[in-house]
């Protein structure tokens, strides 16, 4: 840039030559024209060149080439007056052309000439910088002239000139000087583009050229408000709320977050992170500004870090009851599409993304080098661990690493050759398992063969990895019915989704499935060649008029609950089956009265024409009866124990001469939707029988209320008690030795094969702030559940000394931690709510954060079944962070103590 120096002979690079040591004319020519200092030498980016008026320079050339020092061609002092607009502001004229109006000389040549001939009194040197444009060096003769304004006063611009290689930081510093901004005030820049909109100048380390700033552009300097907000980020609709908070002055950090719609998971994670003292101080003291990494391909261009910094500054300003994290939510959704929209998510997943995003946005390593991972190869553990940590820091160095990262020791042992592999891996948090019960509670409905007994609802305790036979054995203890006389089925949408075999696993049954267990005769089977009783699946259907052109077609709709009925093989006829079914339905199907028997013979014959021949009924086996996954049905619930009638059958009814048929029978497919007689099927397949009702007959003889009735067995009130576990037990489980699963084998470098090795994780290096994630959500192929076990965790003095392998006996406090925050989850898998307990770093008081609501709480309320993510701070870090009080100052509150306060919220 064309610089105006206070001393005309001042130099930017070389010391000023002495005037008295003027060489001869020939020597002057060689030094200026032919040497390294000559105007023809290559340009180098960043160096200074000077403008000399063309006429004076040509006169000097004539003088030195004439060879006479007393010649009348002596040029005199360097005079650049013709290059300036005026002699007050010393601004260059517009449109000057090199070779016609001026020549360019490197710094050394300029200082030689000034030393020999001097510079006209009062004139400043015209210094310009060399810039690189698209790989080509060029002298930046005309600087970029920017118009600087304040956000609060857009109508009063101040002009300032900058070289294209000047940094944006220089532009910001110049604006702060012009507008007399206090040093502690945080500011940022915006530039008005050609479309009339404003863009942030985020990276202050780039040059004016890189930022593509042009002369005449408007640059706006914005100052952060005292409440932590930026004036440009305040929507017009929020002005009223801002005015309400304008006079509010509360405890810094005691600030809620508005729920934007299922964003309680985000609010909980943010409140926990906001109450990590050293991280919050890092942002409040603006140390993050010097470490923003805008060029990291793994980062978010500094946007996540800036958005989080804005939240922290607002929350800790003490000027807000609650704030709206809309900008932060938008940024998160932009960089992590899984968090787009307003679906419920996991607070730990959001926390994991946020820690990684902050780390990459604040990574001090601008260019990551390739680091090869090395195995221990028999070396001492401390040597390998130190190497692994140094390699990690060569690529990852940020406040997140300083605060949250620790080191694992991972030991793998090959089961074949015994080869031992030891590696050390960094971690950001511990995901510890909870001790899981090997028992499972299942609700089933027992359907007795005695038609007088209503279905019974039972709650059974069975092994989690048990079989269907275990379920029958558990039910037999309640009912007195032998397990051999039970068949288990999954009922879905009035039909059998699946009829289970005794050897099948219980893991295929979900908690939401409707499981019915039917009593069958002791000699029942589903094998066609067996001489035992045949078990027939029975569906109930109702004829419903379907809209057709001639109204002649009748549809059939399933209703009620299906049955599994044992039929003696020697009574496998349609007439016998009709009476057997009529008996099984007798609790909720009434017999026709004598007045209804008049047309019985005629009606019966008519209906007999619609009943298929008995030969179409064939016994078989049934496997999975439906393609889709079972879901909740409108099924019956179950019942109390009642006496078992071991002699069911129509023979118990008084004989009737001609009974009116209440329904017809039809063989159907497994879904109960199609008649099997309409197409060719394997005759060995399990037969399904449908009881078809006419609407009028169903209304008259079928009691729906009684059919839906059930009773609860005493065991339904049973609750599987879960004993509380200690956090120490969870950590022990985490560090236990385990065998790798088949899906995740390890390649042994010794025997060159994939092996199911034994793996053991140990803690080697612990971070300043330790995050412990309790794995309450359990997912498997067939089941999903939330473990609501109470985990007992200490608020103070959590000691890790027995778990850390790299012992430091001189500093035992590096293994002791105090609790500072807890993320809670209430509810189940499909729905739930997240809240936070956090200890304020300034007051030491615990508070309960429930979205926009914040209330103080007692310490004895923090431990609960809802605890999900725990934040612990190392005790030596907490002591370092506490300021040393003067003797006249009152004693500081404890790190996470409980100051006197009569207003506490009961969150339980």
């Amino acid at each position: 840039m064309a610089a105006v120096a206070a001393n005309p002979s001042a130099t930017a690079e070389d010391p000023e030559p002495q005037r008295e040591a003027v060489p001869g004319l020939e020597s002057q020519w060689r030094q200026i024209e032919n040497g390294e200092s000559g105007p023809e030498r290559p340009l180098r980016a960043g160096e200074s060149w000077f403008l000399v008026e063309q006429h004076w320079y040509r006169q000097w050339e004539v003088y030195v080439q004439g060879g006479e020092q007393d010649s009348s061609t002596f040029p005199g002092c360097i005079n650049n007056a013709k290059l300036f607009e005026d002699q007050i502001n010393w601004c260059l004229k517009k449109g000057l052309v090199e070779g016609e109006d001026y020549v360019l000389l490197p710094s050394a040549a300029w200082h030689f000439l000034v030393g020999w001939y001097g510079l006209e009194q009062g004139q400043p040197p015209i210094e310009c910088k060399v810039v690189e444009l698209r790989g080509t060096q060029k002298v930046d003769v005309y600087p970029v002239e920017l118009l600087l304004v304040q956000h609060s006063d857009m109508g009063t611009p101040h002009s300032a000139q900058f070289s294209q290689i000047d940094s944006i930081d220089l532009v910001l510093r110049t604006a702060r000087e012009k507008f007399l901004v206090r040093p502690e005030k945080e500011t940022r820049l915006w530039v008005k583009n050609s479309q009339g909109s404003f863009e942030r100048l985020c990276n202050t380390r780039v040059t004016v050229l890189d930022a593509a700033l042009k002369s005449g552009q408007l640059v706006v300097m914005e100052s952060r408000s005292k409440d932590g907000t930026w004036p440009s980020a305040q929507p017009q609709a929020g002005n009223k709320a801002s005015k309400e908070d304008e006079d509010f002055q509360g405890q810094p950090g005691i600030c809620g977050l508005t729920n934007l719609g299922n964003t309680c998971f985000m609010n909980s994670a943010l409140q926990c992170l906001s109450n990590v003292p050293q991280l919050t101080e890092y942002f409040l003291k603006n140390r993050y500004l010097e470490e923003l990494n805008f060029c990291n391909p793994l980062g978010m261009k500094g946007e996540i870090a800036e958005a989080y910094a804005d939240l922290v500054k607002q929350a800790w300003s003490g000027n807000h009851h609650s704030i709206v994290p809309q900008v932060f939510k938008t940024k998160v959704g932009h960089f992590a599409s899984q968090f787009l929209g307003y679906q419920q998510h996991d607070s730990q997943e959001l926390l994991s993304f946020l820690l990684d995003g902050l780390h990459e946005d604040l990574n001090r390593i601008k260019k990551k080098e390739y680091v090869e991972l090395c195995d221990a190869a028999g070396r001492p553990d401390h040597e390998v661990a130190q190497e692994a940590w140094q390699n990690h820091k060569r690529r990852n160095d940020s406040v997140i690493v300083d605060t949250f990262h620790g080191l694992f020791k991972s030991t793998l042992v090959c089961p074949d050759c015994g080869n031992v592999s030891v590696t050390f891996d960094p971690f950001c948090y511990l995901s510890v398992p909870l001790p899981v019960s090997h028992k499972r509670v299942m609700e089933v409905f027992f359907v007795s063969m005695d038609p007088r007994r209503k279905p019974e609802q039972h709650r059974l305790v069975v092994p989690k990895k048990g079989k269907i036979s275990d379920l029958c054995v558990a039910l037999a203890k309640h009912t007195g019915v032998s397990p051999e006389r039970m068949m288990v089925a999954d009922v879905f949408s009035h039909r059998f989704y699946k009829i289970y075999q005794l050897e099948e696993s219980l893991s295929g049954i979900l908690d939401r499935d409707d499981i019915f267990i039917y009593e069958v005769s002791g000699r029942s089977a589903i094998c066609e060649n067996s001489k035992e009783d045949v078990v027939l699946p029975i569906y109930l259907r109702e004829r419903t008029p379907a809209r057709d052109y001639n109204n002649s077609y009748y549809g059939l709709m399933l209703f009620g609950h299906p049955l599994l009925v044992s039929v003696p093989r020697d009574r496998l006829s349609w007439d016998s089956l009709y009476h057997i079914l009529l008996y099984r339905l007798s609790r909720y199907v009434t017999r026709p009265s004598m007045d209804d028997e008049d047309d019985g013979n005629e009606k019966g014959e008519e209906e007999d024409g619609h009943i298929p021949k008995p030969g179409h009924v064939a016994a078989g086996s049934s496997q999975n009866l439906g393609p889709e996954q079972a879901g909740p049905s409108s099924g019956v619930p179950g019942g109390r124990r009642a006496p078992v009638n071991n002699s069911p059958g129509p023979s118990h009814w008084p004989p009737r001469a001609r009974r009116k048929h209440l329904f017809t029978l039809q063989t159907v497919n497994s879904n109960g939707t199609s008649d099997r007689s309409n197409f060719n099927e394997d005759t060995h397949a399990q037969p399904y029988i449908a009881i078809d009702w006419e609407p009028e007959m169903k209304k008259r003889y079928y009691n729906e209320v009684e059919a839906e009735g059930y009773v609860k067995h005493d065991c339904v009130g049973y609750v599987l008690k879960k004993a509380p576990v200690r956090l120490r037990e969870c950590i022990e489980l985490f560090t236990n030795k385990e065998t790798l699963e088949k899906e995740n084998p390890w390649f042994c470098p010794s025997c060159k094969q994939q092996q199911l090795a034994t793996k053991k994780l140990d803690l080697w290096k612990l971070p300043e702030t330790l995050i412990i994630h309790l794995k309450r959500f359990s997912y498997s192929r067939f089941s999903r559940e939330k473990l609501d076990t109470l985990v007992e965790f200490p608020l103070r003095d959590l000691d890790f000394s027995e778990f850390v392998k790299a012992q430091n006996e001189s500093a035992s406090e590096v293994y002791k931690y105090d609790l500072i925050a807890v993320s809670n989850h209430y509810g189940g898998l499909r729905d739930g709510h997240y809240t936070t307990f956090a200890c304020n770093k300034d007051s030491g008081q615990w508070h309960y954060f429930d979205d926009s609501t914040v209330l103080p709480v007692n310490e004895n309320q923090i431990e609960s079944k809802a605890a999900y993510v725990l934040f612990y701070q190392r005790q030596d870090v907490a002591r370092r962070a506490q300021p040393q009080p003067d003797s006249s100052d009152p004693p500081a509150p404890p790190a996470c103590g409980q100051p006197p306060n009569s207003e506490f919220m009961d969150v339980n």
Side-chain angles (χ1 to χ4, degrees):
M1 114 181 195
V4 178
N7 182 359
S9 61
T11 140
E13 296 177 358
D14 301 324
E16 177 185 359
Q18 298 297 323
R19 289 286 301 274
E20 59 271 12
V22 179
L25 298 182
E26 184 178 351
S27 178
Q28 290 183 36
W29 176 260
R30 287 197 305 269
Q31 291 186 52
I32 300 300
E33 287 290 341
N34 299 328
E36 173 63 20
S37 59
E40 300 300 325
R41 77 166 181 79
L43 300 175
R44 300 187 184 98
E47 65 181 2
S48 295
W49 285 57
F50 291 82
L51 271 66
V52 177
E53 197 270 327
Q54 173 80 7
H55 176 73
W56 185 93
Y57 189 77
R58 296 303 173 209
Q59 184 69 26
W60 172 81
E61 287 183 325
V62 171
Y63 170 67
V64 295
Q65 289 177 354
E68 299 181 8
Q69 291 192 352
D70 297 330
S71 171
S72 59
T73 58
F74 181 74
C77 290
I78 300 173
N79 189 349
N80 289 331
K82 293 181 180 180
L83 301 181
F84 295 109
E85 291 278 3
D86 56 66
Q87 297 186 8
I88 299 176
N89 296 320
W90 301 102
C91 294
L92 280 180
K93 290 181 179 179
K94 303 295 182 183
L96 297 177
V97 179
E98 182 183 3
E100 295 181 8
D101 301 304
Y102 65 87
V103 294
L104 285 168
L105 296 177
S107 178
W110 163 259
H111 289 110
F112 282 140
L113 291 177
V114 171
W116 298 334
Y117 297 95
L119 183 62
E120 191 70 29
Q121 185 67 31
Q123 284 188 12
I126 308 174
E127 181 182 0
C128 303
K129 293 289 185 180
V130 178
V131 298
E132 185 173 349
L133 297 173
R134 301 179 183 87
T136 304
Q137 280 72 31
K138 174 186 175 183
V139 178
D140 187 17
V141 175
Y142 286 99
V144 177
E145 186 171 352
L146 301 176
L147 302 177
L148 307 178
V149 297
Q150 292 189 87
H151 185 270
S152 57
D153 184 15
M154 300 281 285
T156 309
H158 294 259
S159 177
Q161 295 181 341
F162 302 92
S163 167
Q164 294 192 63
I165 62 171
D166 285 336
S167 67
I168 299 299
D169 182 63
L170 177 61
V171 178
L172 179 60
R173 284 189 279 112
T174 303
R176 291 175 65 95
E177 292 173 2
K178 284 185 177 292
F179 300 125
L180 305 176
V181 178
R182 298 191 305 274
E184 69 275 8
K185 196 77 170 177
E186 187 178 351
T187 55
R188 64 182 185 181
L189 295 179
W190 297 80
V191 61
K192 189 175 183 180
N193 59 27
S194 57
Q195 286 76 33
S197 58
F198 288 89
E199 298 176 358
R200 272 280 315 281
L201 294 173
C202 299
N203 191 354
T204 58
R205 293 188 285 271
V206 300
T207 64
V208 170
L209 176 64
D210 294 332
L213 298 185
K214 306 297 181 184
S215 291
Q217 273 191 294
L218 189 69
V219 176
V220 182
M221 186 192 73
E222 182 184 18
S223 300
R224 192 188 288 274
S225 306
K226 67 174 185 177
D227 64 354
T229 62
W230 294 104
S232 62
Q234 293 299 316
Q236 296 299 320
N239 287 343
K240 181 178 179 181
S242 298
K243 291 178 181 178
E244 292 176 358
D245 284 345
E246 191 172 336
D247 299 327
F248 174 75
Q249 186 61 46
Q251 171 74 37
I254 311 304
C255 177
L257 295 172
T258 302
N259 193 321
L260 306 174
N262 283 328
T263 58
C264 57
F265 73 95
M266 180 183 77
N267 294 347
S268 179
L270 288 172
Q271 293 289 13
C272 288
L273 213 54
S274 173
N275 282 278
V276 176
Q278 58 269 47
L279 182 64
T280 295
E281 287 296 321
Y282 171 84
F283 283 98
L284 291 180
K285 293 181 178 178
N286 292 333
R287 294 201 293 268
Y288 75 99
L289 293 175
E290 297 299 322
E291 297 182 349
L292 283 170
N293 192 333
F294 298 98
C295 56
N296 187 352
L298 301 178
M300 287 85 176
K301 302 178 182 178
E303 294 184 34
I304 287 294
E306 288 189 323
Y308 178 74
D310 289 346
L311 277 181
V312 169
K313 289 176 180 291
Q314 293 177 50
W316 288 86
S317 68
N319 294 112
H320 299 282
H321 292 282
S322 66
I323 54 180
V324 182
Q326 183 65 62
V327 175
F328 181 82
K329 169 72 171 64
T330 304
K331 293 289 184 185
V332 169
H334 175 70
F335 290 106
S337 59
Q338 67 267 32
F339 297 115
L340 275 173
Y342 297 93
Q343 303 295 322
Q344 182 66 279
H345 293 279
D346 189 294
S347 66
Q348 190 271 334
E349 291 178 0
L350 187 279
L351 183 67
S352 176
F353 161 78
L354 182 54
L355 288 173
D356 185 63
L358 289 175
H359 161 63
E360 296 296 354
D361 273 1
L362 300 169
N363 199 344
R364 303 175 187 115
I365 307 299
K366 306 306 178 187
K367 187 176 180 180
K368 295 188 177 186
E369 57 180 305
Y370 173 75
V371 176
E372 186 175 353
L373 299 178
C374 298
D375 195 82
R379 293 180 293 163
D381 281 351
H382 66 87
E383 178 183 330
V384 183
Q386 184 178 6
E387 179 186 86
W389 185 251
Q390 289 175 349
N391 288 341
H392 179 59
K393 293 279 290 201
R394 284 163 64 186
R395 293 174 53 86
N396 304 278
D397 185 15
S398 70
V399 65
I400 302 300
V401 175
D402 299 340
T403 308
F404 298 103
H405 282 206
L407 203 63
F408 283 142
K409 176 187 176 183
S410 175
T411 306
L412 288 165
V413 179
C414 179
D416 287 352
C417 66
N419 177 46
V420 179
S421 171
V422 177
T423 57
F424 291 84
D425 305 302
F427 68 88
C428 190
Y429 51 84
L430 299 181
S431 288
V432 299
L434 273 63
V436 179
S437 170
H438 297 291
K439 298 292 184 180
R440 175 185 179 184
V441 177
M442 297 183 65
E443 289 190 359
V444 300
F445 299 99
F446 174 66
V447 181
S448 171
M449 289 180 62
D450 185 353
R452 296 169 297 179
R453 294 177 58 180
K454 292 183 179 180
E456 298 173 353
Q457 183 183 17
H458 290 257
R459 181 171 290 174
L460 309 175
V461 180
V462 295
K464 270 192 174 179
K465 298 183 179 180
K467 300 179 179 180
I468 297 295
S469 57
D470 296 317
L471 188 65
C472 296
V473 170
L475 182 61
K477 296 177 182 178
H478 294 177
T479 62
V481 177
S482 171
E484 287 76 20
R485 298 180 59 188
M486 295 180 185
M487 292 190 67
V488 181
D490 183 353
V491 175
F492 172 59
S493 189
H494 313 290
R495 58 174 62 90
F496 291 115
Y497 174 69
K498 182 173 183 179
I499 299 176
Y500 290 95
Q501 303 298 320
L502 293 177
E503 295 304 312
E504 291 190 64
S505 173
L506 289 176
S507 61
I509 299 179
L510 305 181
D511 289 338
R512 64 173 181 265
D513 293 344
D514 290 329
I515 301 301
F516 284 71
I517 300 182
Y518 297 87
E519 180 187 6
V520 295
S521 63
R523 49 194 183 89
S524 297
I526 332 181
C527 176
E528 182 188 11
N529 298 323
S530 173
K531 296 181 180 181
E532 300 174 342
D533 292 355
V534 177
V535 178
L536 296 179
I538 307 296
Y539 291 151
L540 298 174
R541 302 193 301 183
E542 180 183 5
R543 295 184 184 274
T544 55
R547 294 185 178 179
D548 205 325
Y549 292 108
N550 55 8
N551 289 328
S552 61
Y553 176 80
Y554 282 76
L556 288 165
M557 181 177 295
L558 289 168
F559 72 93
H561 307 287
L563 295 171
L564 287 176
V565 178
S566 299
V567 180
R569 188 169 295 276
D570 56 359
R571 298 183 58 188
L572 201 58
S573 66
W574 289 111
D575 186 61
S576 297
L577 182 58
Y578 174 85
H579 291 290
I580 291 173
L581 295 178
L582 196 58
Y583 172 74
R584 285 298 299 267
L585 305 177
S586 60
R587 182 171 57 85
Y588 44 91
V589 173
T590 58
R591 292 185 294 111
S593 64
M594 296 297 295
D595 296 335
D596 296 329
E597 299 291 339
D598 296 338
D599 59 340
N601 188 33
E602 181 183 351
K603 186 71 175 178
E605 291 177 358
E606 181 183 345
E607 290 185 354
D608 283 345
H610 295 282
I611 299 177
K613 295 179 180 180
H616 286 219
V617 181
S621 61
S622 171
Q623 301 298 326
N624 194 331
L625 306 181
E628 69 264 21
Q629 186 179 2
S633 81
S634 56
V636 205
R640 291 185 182 274
R641 187 170 178 180
V644 179
N645 188 341
N646 291 325
S647 56
S651 58
H652 286 244
W653 290 0
R656 294 286 180 180
R658 292 177 180 173
R659 187 173 304 281
K660 180 178 181 180
H661 280 178
L662 304 183
F663 47 79
T664 60
L665 302 177
Q666 176 67 52
T667 53
V668 293
N669 63 7
S670 60
N671 288 325
T673 54
S674 302
D675 297 345
R676 291 181 61 190
S677 57
N678 293 338
F679 54 89
N680 293 325
E681 286 195 15
D682 181 9
T683 57
H684 296 283
Q686 168 68 42
Y688 286 77
I689 306 298
I691 300 176
D692 294 341
W693 289 82
E694 297 290 342
E696 183 61 32
M697 300 293 283
K698 176 176 176 288
K699 182 178 179 182
R700 193 170 172 185
Y701 297 105
Y702 186 90
N703 187 337
E704 291 193 25
V705 175
E706 182 65 25
E708 297 291 330
Y710 70 99
V711 292
K712 293 184 179 181
H713 190 270
D714 293 339
C715 65
V716 173
Y718 173 81
V719 176
L720 185 62
K721 293 183 179 180
K722 299 179 180 178
V725 300
R726 294 180 302 161
L727 181 60
R728 179 178 299 275
E729 296 177 52
C730 301
I731 300 172
E732 288 173 352
L733 274 177
F734 178 78
T735 56
N736 279 350
K737 186 183 296 184
E738 62 179 1
T739 302
L740 298 180
E741 298 177 350
K742 293 182 179 180
E743 296 78 13
N744 186 30
W746 171 65
F747 182 79
C748 177
S750 178
C751 53
K752 308 297 182 182
Q753 290 182 354
Q754 300 285 350
Q755 299 286 0
L756 300 182
T758 58
K759 180 178 181 181
K760 189 178 190 308
L761 285 177
D762 291 303
L763 302 177
W764 185 269
K765 172 183 171 61
L766 293 180
E768 294 181 352
T769 300
L770 180 62
I771 302 175
I772 302 178
H773 165 225
L774 304 178
K775 298 172 71 173
R776 291 195 176 275
F777 299 104
S778 173
Y779 302 96
S780 66
R781 181 180 177 185
F782 296 106
S783 64
R784 301 175 61 190
E785 63 176 331
K786 180 193 174 183
L787 306 175
D788 59 353
T789 307
L790 175 63
V791 178
E792 297 175 343
F793 50 88
L795 270 65
R796 296 178 184 86
D797 297 326
L798 174 61
D799 193 351
F800 276 90
S801 56
E802 66 177 279
F803 297 105
V804 178
K805 295 302 178 182
Q807 293 291 334
N808 183 357
E809 297 180 0
S810 62
S812 60
E813 64 180 3
V814 299
Y815 306 119
K816 289 188 177 181
Y817 286 78
D818 294 334
L819 188 72
I820 57 174
V822 180
S823 175
N824 304 304
H825 179 268
Y826 301 92
L829 286 169
R830 299 186 181 181
D831 52 7
H833 183 59
Y834 289 91
T835 64
T836 299
F837 289 116
C839 178
N840 185 274
K841 68 180 181 66
D842 297 331
S843 67
Q845 169 65 53
W846 281 91
H847 287 80
Y848 180 68
F849 297 82
D850 185 357
D851 290 334
S852 55
T853 301
V854 185
L855 290 171
V857 292
N858 288 309
E859 288 188 355
N860 57 11
Q861 297 174 267
I862 297 170
E863 186 181 276
S864 72
K865 292 182 178 180
Y868 182 44
V869 184
L870 310 176
F871 284 69
Y872 278 93
Q873 186 179 41
R874 210 167 62 202
Q875 288 183 350
D876 65 314
V877 176
R879 293 191 182 94
R880 289 201 308 265
Q882 288 181 353
Q884 298 298 326
D886 296 333
S887 58
S888 59
D889 293 337
C896 287
Q898 181 181 317
N901 195 326
S902 59
E903 297 180 359
F904 291 99
M905 173 190 173
D906 185 1
V907 296
N908 295 325

